[in-house]
Amino acid sequence: TEEILPLVDDQGNVIGKALRSQCHSDRTLLHPVVHLHVFNPQGELYLQKRALTKRIQPGKWDTAVGGHIAYGEEIAVALRREAREEIGLTDFEPIPITSYKWQSAVESEMINVFATVTDKPLVSRNDEIDDARFWPLDKIRNSIGKGIMTPNFEKEFANIVDCERVLSLVGMQR
């Protein structure tokens, strides 16, 4: 059966529902997703490289965890489910960063962004990922704008490294 996703307004309020295939082919159907940025205690950020078979942004480095919120599912539940499914992370404290609307050529998403710090081993369990590893922040900064990373990751990265709560957790300075 095809996944049913909630439709939301610009403030993230649920206003309806639609099939995943409809959401991914109609830019007027705004649907919510979660992103989790995962730091290690050394201040490096875990990124996953999207498989070349992906329809959107194939072969580009992206957020450690990203996924849809199911119809009737709360954001916090979806975040924990996606973290467990994608990288095997189950015990973490999510830090809310921001929410924003993102529109690609094929869809519109309301992205709910979180960050966390962990010293636990991470295992990418997703066949939609070609590679995954921790990146030093300087290497990420030097890669921005060069077509290596997804555009929405690049947008989120600035918000994450400016978040005082994230910086204090990983012992980083601005």
Side-chain angles (χ1 to χ4, degrees):
T1 7
E2 190 173 355
E3 190 176 5
I4 297 173
L5 304 178
L7 300 177
V8 297
D9 63 19
D10 288 342
Q11 289 74 45
N13 302 307
V14 177
I15 58 170
K17 60 185 174 180
L19 295 173
R20 180 181 177 135
S21 60
Q22 292 173 303
C23 291
H24 285 196
S25 61
D26 184 343
R27 294 175 63 195
T28 66
L29 300 177
L30 182 62
H31 58 286
V33 299
V34 291
H35 284 184
L36 178 65
H37 296 275
V38 180
F39 288 88
N40 64 18
Q42 293 75 42
E44 298 170 319
L45 186 59
Y46 194 75
L47 300 180
Q48 293 194 32
K49 188 175 185 183
R50 297 172 62 83
L52 292 174
T53 56
K54 293 293 285 180
R55 183 171 151 211
I56 298 171
Q57 300 295 328
K60 292 190 178 178
W61 288 91
D62 202 359
T63 311
V65 173
H68 291 96
I69 298 170
Y71 184 72
E73 185 177 40
E74 293 185 22
I75 292 171
V77 173
L79 182 67
R80 291 193 180 278
R81 175 182 50 77
E82 289 290 342
R84 183 185 69 252
E85 289 175 0
E86 292 193 10
I87 60 174
L89 185 61
T90 57
D91 184 23
F92 65 98
E93 184 63 37
I95 302 164
I97 305 297
T98 190
S99 293
Y100 69 95
K101 184 178 172 181
W102 181 262
Q103 196 167 52
S104 74
V106 297
E107 67 178 335
S108 294
E109 296 178 327
M110 176 62 73
I111 302 177
N112 299 280
V113 183
F114 298 84
T116 196
V117 178
T118 187
D119 60 357
K120 294 176 176 46
L122 304 176
V123 179
S124 292
R125 303 176 175 182
N126 191 328
D127 61 354
E128 299 175 352
I129 302 299
D130 283 347
D131 194 5
R133 66 176 180 265
F134 281 100
W135 286 56
L137 297 186
D138 286 344
K139 185 173 180 180
I140 294 172
R141 285 185 188 99
N142 291 334
S143 299
I144 288 180
K146 297 181 179 173
I148 296 168
M149 298 170 179
T150 65
N152 61 325
F153 169 77
E154 290 183 356
K155 175 184 174 63
E156 286 177 26
F157 181 72
N159 288 325
I160 293 161
V161 297
D162 283 343
C163 180
E164 292 296 336
R165 290 172 293 167
V166 173
L167 296 176
S168 66
L169 277 175
V170 294
M172 297 170 17
Q173 303 289 323
R174 277 191 192 267

